[in-house]
Amino acid sequence: MGNQLDRITHLNYSELPTGDPSGLEKDELRVGVAYFFSDEEEEVEDRTPSDCGFSKDHSPTEDGPFSVSEVEYTAFCSQECIFSKLRETEDLNVYSGKSLLTMCKPGDLVELVATAQPPHWVIYEHYDQVIHLHKGEIRKDSLLELCSGRHGRIVNNRYRYRPLPPDLVMQNAVGHLGLNSGEICWTNSESFAAWCRFGKREFKAGGEAHSAEQQYFLKVHLSGSGVHTLVFRSLEDMIRERRRVDASGILKELSLVNGNKE
């Protein structure tokens, strides 16, 4: 792959180097097997204010900002914090699509939120256009249309990795437009959008070299009941589990994985 952006067109279960197309990573290239799956992305449907966790006083047509009820997290790789979503340390307010258009710049990560489904992540391009993984396809759509019935926020700093320059973020996103589930190696919109912005192979399914020493720790911050810590072998596994927690409820998911209450 070298330093050029390669359009991924391999079939399922192809074997290829899993280095980043930008060539900006400091660590040496690790070669592994990347398994390409149909995505498990959530449906992005029209939803009413009550579906999205907004009260009758907070219609999705309002500009915001205001807050929604949601689970908070921090995540670590070994001792390094790689992800943070805590209301006490950052702004988790959400905005209407109309307001987001006045705030977004090319290459921004945008998260669209609603209850009972995982958040949907997109890369903002320009003029209301975003690039995202949806229904097994990497496509371009209108941000305003995607925001129908929901609010969103810019989440450039949610992951603590060093971002790529905006032009490389857009090159990553645009370079994969049109690919479908038989040709991609991301299982959800978040992993694809985060890969576009940070270029980390760990966001790809099967793109991470496992070692006995490397572990990911997801700390689930529950109001009034402390912090639950879940352990994972890969970043992709951790992302998928966290998104399932967002979609189906924290108590159910905590019973399915190894975790402890701190």
mmCIF file of all heavy atoms in Angstrom, residues 40-48 50-54 68-71 73 85 111-121 134-135 146-151 153 189-190 240-249:
data_model
loop_
_atom_site.group_PDB
_atom_site.id
_atom_site.type_symbol
_atom_site.label_atom_id
_atom_site.label_comp_id
_atom_site.label_asym_id
_atom_site.label_seq_id
_atom_site.Cartn_x
_atom_site.Cartn_y
_atom_site.Cartn_z
ATOM 1 N N GLU A 40 -22.821 -4.310 9.975
ATOM 2 C CA GLU A 40 -23.919 -4.490 10.911
ATOM 3 C C GLU A 40 -24.539 -3.139 11.250
ATOM 4 O O GLU A 40 -25.047 -2.933 12.328
ATOM 5 C CB GLU A 40 -23.406 -5.150 12.201
ATOM 6 C CG GLU A 40 -22.837 -6.535 11.970
ATOM 7 C CD GLU A 40 -22.316 -7.151 13.235
ATOM 8 O OE1 GLU A 40 -22.245 -6.440 14.253
ATOM 9 O OE2 GLU A 40 -21.980 -8.330 13.229
ATOM 10 N N GLU A 41 -24.484 -2.225 10.312
ATOM 11 C CA GLU A 41 -24.886 -0.851 10.598
ATOM 12 C C GLU A 41 -26.358 -0.744 10.919
ATOM 13 O O GLU A 41 -27.193 -1.459 10.380
ATOM 14 C CB GLU A 41 -24.546 0.058 9.407
ATOM 15 C CG GLU A 41 -24.731 1.530 9.692
ATOM 16 C CD GLU A 41 -24.056 1.934 10.967
ATOM 17 O OE1 GLU A 41 -22.847 1.765 11.079
ATOM 18 O OE2 GLU A 41 -24.762 2.394 11.874
ATOM 19 N N GLU A 42 -26.648 0.177 11.815
ATOM 20 C CA GLU A 42 -28.020 0.436 12.207
ATOM 21 C C GLU A 42 -28.787 1.103 11.086
ATOM 22 O O GLU A 42 -28.214 1.700 10.190
ATOM 23 C CB GLU A 42 -28.029 1.360 13.431
ATOM 24 C CG GLU A 42 -27.553 2.774 13.157
ATOM 25 C CD GLU A 42 -26.049 2.904 13.041
ATOM 26 O OE1 GLU A 42 -25.336 1.931 13.314
ATOM 27 O OE2 GLU A 42 -25.588 3.987 12.658
ATOM 28 N N GLU A 43 -30.077 0.974 11.120
ATOM 29 C CA GLU A 43 -30.920 1.655 10.162
ATOM 30 C C GLU A 43 -31.038 3.127 10.552
ATOM 31 O O GLU A 43 -31.185 3.462 11.719
ATOM 32 C CB GLU A 43 -32.317 1.028 10.141
ATOM 33 C CG GLU A 43 -32.313 -0.432 9.705
ATOM 34 C CD GLU A 43 -31.879 -0.607 8.261
ATOM 35 O OE1 GLU A 43 -32.210 0.264 7.443
ATOM 36 O OE2 GLU A 43 -31.196 -1.595 7.963
ATOM 37 N N VAL A 44 -30.963 4.001 9.578
ATOM 38 C CA VAL A 44 -31.180 5.428 9.808
ATOM 39 C C VAL A 44 -32.554 5.754 9.257
ATOM 40 O O VAL A 44 -32.764 5.851 8.065
ATOM 41 C CB VAL A 44 -30.106 6.279 9.118
ATOM 42 C CG1 VAL A 44 -30.372 7.754 9.349
ATOM 43 C CG2 VAL A 44 -28.731 5.901 9.634
ATOM 44 N N GLU A 45 -33.515 5.872 10.148
ATOM 45 C CA GLU A 45 -34.895 6.049 9.742
ATOM 46 C C GLU A 45 -35.436 7.364 10.273
ATOM 47 O O GLU A 45 -34.892 7.971 11.180
ATOM 48 C CB GLU A 45 -35.757 4.897 10.280
ATOM 49 C CG GLU A 45 -35.268 3.523 9.831
ATOM 50 C CD GLU A 45 -35.985 2.415 10.565
ATOM 51 O OE1 GLU A 45 -36.600 2.716 11.613
ATOM 52 O OE2 GLU A 45 -35.927 1.259 10.107
ATOM 53 N N ASP A 46 -36.568 7.792 9.706
ATOM 54 C CA ASP A 46 -37.271 8.947 10.259
ATOM 55 C C ASP A 46 -37.806 8.570 11.635
ATOM 56 O O ASP A 46 -38.403 7.523 11.813
ATOM 57 C CB ASP A 46 -38.428 9.362 9.357
ATOM 58 C CG ASP A 46 -37.930 9.937 8.048
ATOM 59 O OD1 ASP A 46 -36.774 10.391 8.016
ATOM 60 O OD2 ASP A 46 -38.696 9.915 7.067
ATOM 61 N N ARG A 47 -37.574 9.445 12.614
ATOM 62 C CA ARG A 47 -37.983 9.159 13.974
ATOM 63 C C ARG A 47 -38.677 10.377 14.554
ATOM 64 O O ARG A 47 -38.395 11.512 14.187
ATOM 65 C CB ARG A 47 -36.777 8.767 14.830
ATOM 66 C CG ARG A 47 -36.030 7.570 14.275
ATOM 67 C CD ARG A 47 -34.726 7.359 15.031
ATOM 68 N NE ARG A 47 -34.980 6.810 16.344
ATOM 69 C CZ ARG A 47 -35.081 5.513 16.585
ATOM 70 N NH1 ARG A 47 -35.005 4.648 15.612
ATOM 71 N NH2 ARG A 47 -35.292 5.066 17.811
ATOM 72 N N THR A 48 -39.575 10.133 15.482
ATOM 73 C CA THR A 48 -40.279 11.223 16.138
ATOM 74 C C THR A 48 -39.450 11.727 17.302
ATOM 75 O O THR A 48 -38.508 11.062 17.741
ATOM 76 C CB THR A 48 -41.638 10.732 16.663
ATOM 77 O OG1 THR A 48 -41.396 9.753 17.689
ATOM 78 C CG2 THR A 48 -42.448 10.107 15.544
ATOM 79 N N SER A 50 -40.088 11.707 20.449
ATOM 80 C CA SER A 50 -40.089 10.765 21.564
ATOM 81 C C SER A 50 -39.196 9.578 21.291
ATOM 82 O O SER A 50 -38.614 8.999 22.202
ATOM 83 C CB SER A 50 -41.521 10.282 21.835
ATOM 84 O OG SER A 50 -42.065 9.634 20.698
ATOM 85 N N ASP A 51 -39.049 9.176 20.005
ATOM 86 C CA ASP A 51 -38.168 8.061 19.666
ATOM 87 C C ASP A 51 -36.716 8.400 19.949
ATOM 88 O O ASP A 51 -35.900 7.529 20.209
ATOM 89 C CB ASP A 51 -38.285 7.715 18.169
ATOM 90 C CG ASP A 51 -39.615 7.107 17.821
ATOM 91 O OD1 ASP A 51 -40.202 6.461 18.706
ATOM 92 O OD2 ASP A 51 -40.071 7.281 16.678
ATOM 93 N N CYS A 52 -36.363 9.661 19.854
ATOM 94 C CA CYS A 52 -34.969 10.064 19.925
ATOM 95 C C CYS A 52 -34.535 10.475 21.323
ATOM 96 O O CYS A 52 -33.406 10.934 21.503
ATOM 97 C CB CYS A 52 -34.725 11.233 18.959
ATOM 98 S SG CYS A 52 -35.074 10.790 17.239
ATOM 99 N N GLY A 53 -35.397 10.349 22.291
ATOM 100 C CA GLY A 53 -35.011 10.692 23.645
ATOM 101 C C GLY A 53 -35.201 12.152 23.970
ATOM 102 O O GLY A 53 -34.738 12.629 24.999
ATOM 103 N N PHE A 54 -35.859 12.902 23.107
ATOM 104 C CA PHE A 54 -36.107 14.313 23.344
ATOM 105 C C PHE A 54 -37.487 14.494 23.959
ATOM 106 O O PHE A 54 -38.448 13.848 23.549
ATOM 107 C CB PHE A 54 -36.021 15.107 22.042
ATOM 108 C CG PHE A 54 -34.736 14.902 21.307
ATOM 109 C CD1 PHE A 54 -34.735 14.455 19.995
ATOM 110 C CD2 PHE A 54 -33.525 15.129 21.928
ATOM 111 C CE1 PHE A 54 -33.551 14.256 19.319
ATOM 112 C CE2 PHE A 54 -32.338 14.936 21.254
ATOM 113 C CZ PHE A 54 -32.348 14.497 19.951
ATOM 114 N N VAL A 68 -29.174 15.140 26.006
ATOM 115 C CA VAL A 68 -30.022 13.957 25.972
ATOM 116 C C VAL A 68 -29.480 12.961 26.988
ATOM 117 O O VAL A 68 -28.312 13.020 27.396
ATOM 118 C CB VAL A 68 -30.054 13.318 24.570
ATOM 119 C CG1 VAL A 68 -30.720 14.237 23.577
ATOM 120 C CG2 VAL A 68 -28.655 12.956 24.110
ATOM 121 N N SER A 69 -30.329 12.051 27.413
ATOM 122 C CA SER A 69 -29.924 11.026 28.360
ATOM 123 C C SER A 69 -29.179 9.918 27.626
ATOM 124 O O SER A 69 -29.717 9.320 26.689
ATOM 125 C CB SER A 69 -31.154 10.449 29.070
ATOM 126 O OG SER A 69 -30.795 9.399 29.933
ATOM 127 N N GLU A 70 -27.949 9.648 28.016
ATOM 128 C CA GLU A 70 -27.134 8.650 27.332
ATOM 129 C C GLU A 70 -26.043 8.121 28.244
ATOM 130 O O GLU A 70 -25.675 8.751 29.236
ATOM 131 C CB GLU A 70 -26.527 9.230 26.057
ATOM 132 C CG GLU A 70 -25.742 10.517 26.284
ATOM 133 C CD GLU A 70 -25.358 11.197 24.973
ATOM 134 O OE1 GLU A 70 -25.354 10.523 23.921
ATOM 135 O OE2 GLU A 70 -25.060 12.397 25.004
ATOM 136 N N VAL A 71 -25.524 6.953 27.917
ATOM 137 C CA VAL A 71 -24.458 6.321 28.688
ATOM 138 C C VAL A 71 -23.142 7.040 28.415
ATOM 139 O O VAL A 71 -22.873 7.471 27.290
ATOM 140 C CB VAL A 71 -24.341 4.829 28.330
ATOM 141 C CG1 VAL A 71 -23.230 4.164 29.141
ATOM 142 C CG2 VAL A 71 -25.660 4.122 28.569
ATOM 143 N N TYR A 73 -18.789 7.028 28.732
ATOM 144 C CA TYR A 73 -17.705 6.052 28.667
ATOM 145 C C TYR A 73 -16.332 6.729 28.708
ATOM 146 O O TYR A 73 -16.185 7.882 28.324
ATOM 147 C CB TYR A 73 -17.734 5.263 27.352
ATOM 148 C CG TYR A 73 -19.024 4.615 26.972
ATOM 149 C CD1 TYR A 73 -19.954 5.279 26.174
ATOM 150 C CD2 TYR A 73 -19.305 3.310 27.358
ATOM 151 C CE1 TYR A 73 -21.139 4.678 25.792
ATOM 152 C CE2 TYR A 73 -20.488 2.686 26.975
ATOM 153 C CZ TYR A 73 -21.396 3.374 26.193
ATOM 154 O OH TYR A 73 -22.563 2.775 25.805
ATOM 155 N N LYS A 85 -16.002 10.033 26.642
ATOM 156 C CA LYS A 85 -17.329 10.620 26.482
ATOM 157 C C LYS A 85 -17.897 10.817 27.876
ATOM 158 O O LYS A 85 -18.625 9.981 28.396
ATOM 159 C CB LYS A 85 -18.233 9.712 25.647
ATOM 160 C CG LYS A 85 -19.642 10.249 25.451
ATOM 161 C CD LYS A 85 -20.523 9.208 24.775
ATOM 162 C CE LYS A 85 -21.958 9.674 24.700
ATOM 163 N NZ LYS A 85 -22.850 8.622 24.132
ATOM 164 N N GLU A 111 -21.544 13.001 14.857
ATOM 165 C CA GLU A 111 -22.293 11.904 15.453
ATOM 166 C C GLU A 111 -23.768 12.298 15.534
ATOM 167 O O GLU A 111 -24.102 13.325 16.113
ATOM 168 C CB GLU A 111 -21.750 11.607 16.850
ATOM 169 C CG GLU A 111 -22.479 10.501 17.586
ATOM 170 C CD GLU A 111 -22.007 10.370 19.027
ATOM 171 O OE1 GLU A 111 -21.935 11.407 19.734
ATOM 172 O OE2 GLU A 111 -21.712 9.239 19.442
ATOM 173 N N LEU A 112 -24.641 11.466 14.985
ATOM 174 C CA LEU A 112 -26.085 11.671 15.053
ATOM 175 C C LEU A 112 -26.650 10.698 16.084
ATOM 176 O O LEU A 112 -26.388 9.498 16.012
ATOM 177 C CB LEU A 112 -26.726 11.437 13.683
ATOM 178 C CG LEU A 112 -26.113 12.228 12.521
ATOM 179 C CD1 LEU A 112 -26.828 11.902 11.220
ATOM 180 C CD2 LEU A 112 -26.154 13.729 12.798
ATOM 181 N N VAL A 113 -27.413 11.211 17.036
ATOM 182 C CA VAL A 113 -27.831 10.397 18.174
ATOM 183 C C VAL A 113 -29.343 10.231 18.219
ATOM 184 O O VAL A 113 -30.101 11.118 17.840
ATOM 185 C CB VAL A 113 -27.329 10.997 19.503
ATOM 186 C CG1 VAL A 113 -25.817 11.025 19.538
ATOM 187 C CG2 VAL A 113 -27.881 12.402 19.717
ATOM 188 N N ALA A 114 -29.752 9.059 18.704
ATOM 189 C CA ALA A 114 -31.145 8.734 18.968
ATOM 190 C C ALA A 114 -31.149 7.581 19.948
ATOM 191 O O ALA A 114 -30.192 6.800 20.014
ATOM 192 C CB ALA A 114 -31.874 8.350 17.683
ATOM 193 N N THR A 115 -32.192 7.454 20.736
ATOM 194 C CA THR A 115 -32.277 6.359 21.690
ATOM 195 C C THR A 115 -32.635 5.061 20.973
ATOM 196 O O THR A 115 -33.201 5.068 19.877
ATOM 197 C CB THR A 115 -33.327 6.647 22.774
ATOM 198 O OG1 THR A 115 -34.591 6.880 22.144
ATOM 199 C CG2 THR A 115 -32.927 7.860 23.604
ATOM 200 N N ALA A 116 -32.299 3.946 21.634
ATOM 201 C CA ALA A 116 -32.629 2.596 21.153
ATOM 202 C C ALA A 116 -31.964 2.251 19.826
ATOM 203 O O ALA A 116 -32.387 1.343 19.125
ATOM 204 C CB ALA A 116 -34.138 2.405 21.042
ATOM 205 N N GLN A 117 -30.908 2.962 19.464
ATOM 206 C CA GLN A 117 -30.095 2.592 18.310
ATOM 207 C C GLN A 117 -28.703 3.190 18.495
ATOM 208 O O GLN A 117 -28.543 4.202 19.195
ATOM 209 C CB GLN A 117 -30.711 3.072 16.995
ATOM 210 C CG GLN A 117 -30.672 4.563 16.790
ATOM 211 C CD GLN A 117 -31.096 4.973 15.394
ATOM 212 O OE1 GLN A 117 -30.843 6.062 14.953
ATOM 213 N NE2 GLN A 117 -31.755 4.080 14.682
ATOM 214 N N PRO A 118 -27.685 2.567 17.910
ATOM 215 C CA PRO A 118 -26.345 3.135 18.038
ATOM 216 C C PRO A 118 -26.273 4.496 17.358
ATOM 217 O O PRO A 118 -27.032 4.767 16.419
ATOM 218 C CB PRO A 118 -25.454 2.119 17.307
ATOM 219 C CG PRO A 118 -26.280 0.882 17.187
ATOM 220 C CD PRO A 118 -27.703 1.339 17.107
ATOM 221 N N PRO A 119 -25.389 5.367 17.806
ATOM 222 C CA PRO A 119 -25.207 6.642 17.105
ATOM 223 C C PRO A 119 -24.682 6.393 15.695
ATOM 224 O O PRO A 119 -23.983 5.414 15.441
ATOM 225 C CB PRO A 119 -24.183 7.387 17.969
ATOM 226 C CG PRO A 119 -23.489 6.321 18.743
ATOM 227 C CD PRO A 119 -24.488 5.246 18.976
ATOM 228 N N HIS A 120 -25.038 7.269 14.795
ATOM 229 C CA HIS A 120 -24.593 7.146 13.405
ATOM 230 C C HIS A 120 -23.522 8.199 13.147
ATOM 231 O O HIS A 120 -23.729 9.383 13.403
ATOM 232 C CB HIS A 120 -25.772 7.337 12.446
ATOM 233 C CG HIS A 120 -25.445 6.990 11.036
ATOM 234 N ND1 HIS A 120 -25.317 5.687 10.602
ATOM 235 C CD2 HIS A 120 -25.200 7.769 9.958
ATOM 236 C CE1 HIS A 120 -25.016 5.675 9.312
ATOM 237 N NE2 HIS A 120 -24.938 6.934 8.898
ATOM 238 N N TRP A 121 -22.360 7.761 12.638
ATOM 239 C CA TRP A 121 -21.217 8.647 12.429
ATOM 240 C C TRP A 121 -21.027 8.918 10.938
ATOM 241 O O TRP A 121 -21.175 8.014 10.111
ATOM 242 C CB TRP A 121 -19.943 8.039 13.001
ATOM 243 C CG TRP A 121 -19.882 8.007 14.498
ATOM 244 C CD1 TRP A 121 -20.879 7.634 15.362
ATOM 245 C CD2 TRP A 121 -18.765 8.346 15.311
ATOM 246 N NE1 TRP A 121 -20.446 7.715 16.659
ATOM 247 C CE2 TRP A 121 -19.143 8.144 16.659
ATOM 248 C CE3 TRP A 121 -17.473 8.791 15.040
ATOM 249 C CZ2 TRP A 121 -18.278 8.381 17.728
ATOM 250 C CZ3 TRP A 121 -16.601 9.022 16.093
ATOM 251 C CH2 TRP A 121 -17.003 8.828 17.423
ATOM 252 N N HIS A 134 -23.574 3.138 5.321
ATOM 253 C CA HIS A 134 -24.995 2.940 5.634
ATOM 254 C C HIS A 134 -25.549 1.820 4.778
ATOM 255 O O HIS A 134 -25.354 1.791 3.562
ATOM 256 C CB HIS A 134 -25.769 4.233 5.385
ATOM 257 C CG HIS A 134 -27.242 4.108 5.571
ATOM 258 N ND1 HIS A 134 -27.814 3.531 6.685
ATOM 259 C CD2 HIS A 134 -28.288 4.486 4.773
ATOM 260 C CE1 HIS A 134 -29.127 3.566 6.579
ATOM 261 N NE2 HIS A 134 -29.445 4.130 5.427
ATOM 262 N N LYS A 135 -26.196 0.854 5.441
ATOM 263 C CA LYS A 135 -26.817 -0.276 4.752
ATOM 264 C C LYS A 135 -25.842 -0.978 3.819
ATOM 265 O O LYS A 135 -26.175 -1.333 2.688
ATOM 266 C CB LYS A 135 -28.062 0.193 3.979
ATOM 267 C CG LYS A 135 -29.192 0.656 4.880
ATOM 268 C CD LYS A 135 -30.437 0.987 4.076
ATOM 269 C CE LYS A 135 -31.600 1.376 4.990
ATOM 270 N NZ LYS A 135 -32.827 1.705 4.241
ATOM 271 N N LEU A 146 -30.382 13.243 6.860
ATOM 272 C CA LEU A 146 -30.012 12.260 7.869
ATOM 273 C C LEU A 146 -30.420 12.719 9.264
ATOM 274 O O LEU A 146 -30.663 11.892 10.149
ATOM 275 C CB LEU A 146 -28.501 12.005 7.843
ATOM 276 C CG LEU A 146 -27.955 11.240 6.641
ATOM 277 C CD1 LEU A 146 -26.434 11.141 6.730
ATOM 278 C CD2 LEU A 146 -28.569 9.855 6.544
ATOM 279 N N CYS A 147 -30.474 14.024 9.476
ATOM 280 C CA CYS A 147 -30.829 14.563 10.789
ATOM 281 C C CYS A 147 -32.330 14.590 11.017
ATOM 282 O O CYS A 147 -32.774 15.039 12.083
ATOM 283 C CB CYS A 147 -30.268 15.979 10.951
ATOM 284 S SG CYS A 147 -28.517 16.033 11.365
ATOM 285 N N SER A 148 -33.119 14.149 10.075
ATOM 286 C CA SER A 148 -34.566 14.152 10.251
ATOM 287 C C SER A 148 -34.939 13.318 11.468
ATOM 288 O O SER A 148 -34.709 12.126 11.530
ATOM 289 C CB SER A 148 -35.245 13.576 9.002
ATOM 290 O OG SER A 148 -36.637 13.490 9.177
ATOM 291 N N GLY A 149 -35.513 13.991 12.488
ATOM 292 C CA GLY A 149 -35.914 13.292 13.698
ATOM 293 C C GLY A 149 -34.805 13.066 14.703
ATOM 294 O O GLY A 149 -34.997 12.341 15.680
ATOM 295 N N ARG A 150 -33.644 13.667 14.512
ATOM 296 C CA ARG A 150 -32.536 13.465 15.453
ATOM 297 C C ARG A 150 -31.641 14.706 15.491
ATOM 298 O O ARG A 150 -31.726 15.572 14.627
ATOM 299 C CB ARG A 150 -31.710 12.239 15.073
ATOM 300 C CG ARG A 150 -31.162 12.318 13.664
ATOM 301 C CD ARG A 150 -30.257 11.148 13.328
ATOM 302 N NE ARG A 150 -30.804 9.875 13.729
ATOM 303 C CZ ARG A 150 -31.762 9.215 13.085
ATOM 304 N NH1 ARG A 150 -32.316 9.756 12.017
ATOM 305 N NH2 ARG A 150 -32.184 8.041 13.489
ATOM 306 N N HIS A 151 -30.781 14.755 16.503
ATOM 307 C CA HIS A 151 -29.796 15.817 16.623
ATOM 308 C C HIS A 151 -28.398 15.236 16.472
ATOM 309 O O HIS A 151 -28.217 14.019 16.432
ATOM 310 C CB HIS A 151 -29.924 16.523 17.972
ATOM 311 C CG HIS A 151 -31.073 17.483 18.054
ATOM 312 N ND1 HIS A 151 -32.378 17.074 18.143
ATOM 313 C CD2 HIS A 151 -31.100 18.839 18.065
ATOM 314 C CE1 HIS A 151 -33.172 18.136 18.207
ATOM 315 N NE2 HIS A 151 -32.423 19.222 18.163
ATOM 316 N N ARG A 153 -23.793 16.190 16.839
ATOM 317 C CA ARG A 153 -22.711 17.007 17.396
ATOM 318 C C ARG A 153 -21.412 16.634 16.702
ATOM 319 O O ARG A 153 -21.269 15.539 16.141
ATOM 320 C CB ARG A 153 -22.590 16.781 18.897
ATOM 321 C CG ARG A 153 -22.362 15.329 19.280
ATOM 322 C CD ARG A 153 -22.626 15.086 20.751
ATOM 323 N NE ARG A 153 -22.741 13.667 21.051
ATOM 324 C CZ ARG A 153 -23.429 13.160 22.068
ATOM 325 N NH1 ARG A 153 -24.058 13.962 22.910
ATOM 326 N NH2 ARG A 153 -23.495 11.861 22.260
ATOM 327 N N SER A 189 -20.767 2.458 11.028
ATOM 328 C CA SER A 189 -20.469 3.816 10.570
ATOM 329 C C SER A 189 -19.371 4.474 11.395
ATOM 330 O O SER A 189 -18.571 5.262 10.878
ATOM 331 C CB SER A 189 -21.739 4.677 10.618
ATOM 332 O OG SER A 189 -22.210 4.800 11.954
ATOM 333 N N GLU A 190 -19.314 4.179 12.686
ATOM 334 C CA GLU A 190 -18.308 4.792 13.548
ATOM 335 C C GLU A 190 -16.900 4.357 13.161
ATOM 336 O O GLU A 190 -15.984 5.187 13.065
ATOM 337 C CB GLU A 190 -18.585 4.436 15.007
ATOM 338 C CG GLU A 190 -17.564 5.009 15.985
ATOM 339 C CD GLU A 190 -17.880 4.707 17.428
ATOM 340 O OE1 GLU A 190 -19.075 4.448 17.740
ATOM 341 O OE2 GLU A 190 -16.957 4.728 18.257
ATOM 342 N N ARG A 240 -17.834 -2.339 18.849
ATOM 343 C CA ARG A 240 -19.070 -3.050 18.560
ATOM 344 C C ARG A 240 -19.872 -3.311 19.835
ATOM 345 O O ARG A 240 -21.094 -3.196 19.852
ATOM 346 C CB ARG A 240 -18.755 -4.352 17.826
ATOM 347 C CG ARG A 240 -18.189 -4.131 16.430
ATOM 348 C CD ARG A 240 -17.707 -5.399 15.793
ATOM 349 N NE ARG A 240 -18.827 -6.265 15.429
ATOM 350 C CZ ARG A 240 -18.654 -7.438 14.818
ATOM 351 N NH1 ARG A 240 -17.421 -7.870 14.552
ATOM 352 N NH2 ARG A 240 -19.700 -8.177 14.500
ATOM 353 N N GLU A 241 -19.192 -3.652 20.925
ATOM 354 C CA GLU A 241 -19.892 -3.902 22.174
ATOM 355 C C GLU A 241 -20.490 -2.613 22.736
ATOM 356 O O GLU A 241 -21.627 -2.585 23.209
ATOM 357 C CB GLU A 241 -18.948 -4.522 23.191
ATOM 358 C CG GLU A 241 -19.626 -4.933 24.479
ATOM 359 C CD GLU A 241 -20.673 -6.022 24.273
ATOM 360 O OE1 GLU A 241 -20.512 -6.833 23.344
ATOM 361 O OE2 GLU A 241 -21.649 -6.047 25.031
ATOM 362 N N ARG A 242 -19.734 -1.515 22.673
ATOM 363 C CA ARG A 242 -20.246 -0.244 23.179
ATOM 364 C C ARG A 242 -21.467 0.199 22.390
ATOM 365 O O ARG A 242 -22.429 0.720 22.962
ATOM 366 C CB ARG A 242 -19.151 0.819 23.111
ATOM 367 C CG ARG A 242 -19.619 2.211 23.526
ATOM 368 C CD ARG A 242 -18.475 3.187 23.622
ATOM 369 N NE ARG A 242 -17.641 3.204 22.459
ATOM 370 C CZ ARG A 242 -17.971 3.791 21.298
ATOM 371 N NH1 ARG A 242 -19.145 4.382 21.159
ATOM 372 N NH2 ARG A 242 -17.133 3.775 20.280
ATOM 373 N N ARG A 243 -21.455 -0.021 21.102
ATOM 374 C CA ARG A 243 -22.596 0.361 20.279
ATOM 375 C C ARG A 243 -23.810 -0.517 20.578
ATOM 376 O O ARG A 243 -24.945 -0.059 20.532
ATOM 377 C CB ARG A 243 -22.209 0.292 18.801
ATOM 378 C CG ARG A 243 -21.188 1.367 18.417
ATOM 379 C CD ARG A 243 -20.664 1.176 17.008
ATOM 380 N NE ARG A 243 -21.725 1.350 16.039
ATOM 381 C CZ ARG A 243 -22.165 2.539 15.612
ATOM 382 N NH1 ARG A 243 -21.635 3.660 16.084
ATOM 383 N NH2 ARG A 243 -23.129 2.612 14.727
ATOM 384 N N ARG A 244 -23.565 -1.780 20.900
ATOM 385 C CA ARG A 244 -24.679 -2.639 21.301
ATOM 386 C C ARG A 244 -25.267 -2.179 22.639
ATOM 387 O O ARG A 244 -26.480 -2.237 22.851
ATOM 388 C CB ARG A 244 -24.216 -4.093 21.390
ATOM 389 C CG ARG A 244 -24.074 -4.771 20.037
ATOM 390 C CD ARG A 244 -23.964 -6.273 20.197
ATOM 391 N NE ARG A 244 -22.708 -6.669 20.806
ATOM 392 C CZ ARG A 244 -21.632 -7.019 20.121
ATOM 393 N NH1 ARG A 244 -21.665 -7.003 18.797
ATOM 394 N NH2 ARG A 244 -20.532 -7.384 20.735
ATOM 395 N N VAL A 245 -24.388 -1.724 23.540
ATOM 396 C CA VAL A 245 -24.877 -1.183 24.806
ATOM 397 C C VAL A 245 -25.754 0.045 24.546
ATOM 398 O O VAL A 245 -26.832 0.189 25.121
ATOM 399 C CB VAL A 245 -23.702 -0.814 25.729
ATOM 400 C CG1 VAL A 245 -24.187 -0.042 26.955
ATOM 401 C CG2 VAL A 245 -22.954 -2.071 26.162
ATOM 402 N N ASP A 246 -25.314 0.924 23.680
ATOM 403 C CA ASP A 246 -26.101 2.112 23.350
ATOM 404 C C ASP A 246 -27.460 1.743 22.774
ATOM 405 O O ASP A 246 -28.469 2.417 23.035
ATOM 406 C CB ASP A 246 -25.346 2.983 22.336
ATOM 407 C CG ASP A 246 -24.214 3.773 22.966
ATOM 408 O OD1 ASP A 246 -24.302 4.059 24.170
ATOM 409 O OD2 ASP A 246 -23.246 4.096 22.251
ATOM 410 N N ALA A 247 -27.496 0.685 21.987
ATOM 411 C CA ALA A 247 -28.726 0.340 21.290
ATOM 412 C C ALA A 247 -29.700 -0.476 22.125
ATOM 413 O O ALA A 247 -30.916 -0.318 21.992
ATOM 414 C CB ALA A 247 -28.397 -0.434 20.007
ATOM 415 N N SER A 248 -29.173 -1.358 23.010
ATOM 416 C CA SER A 248 -30.061 -2.338 23.625
ATOM 417 C C SER A 248 -30.162 -2.248 25.133
ATOM 418 O O SER A 248 -30.950 -2.962 25.737
ATOM 419 C CB SER A 248 -29.619 -3.755 23.239
ATOM 420 O OG SER A 248 -28.297 -3.997 23.671
ATOM 421 N N GLY A 249 -29.356 -1.396 25.763
ATOM 422 C CA GLY A 249 -29.487 -1.235 27.209
ATOM 423 C C GLY A 249 -28.302 -1.776 27.973
ATOM 424 O O GLY A 249 -27.829 -2.881 27.723
#
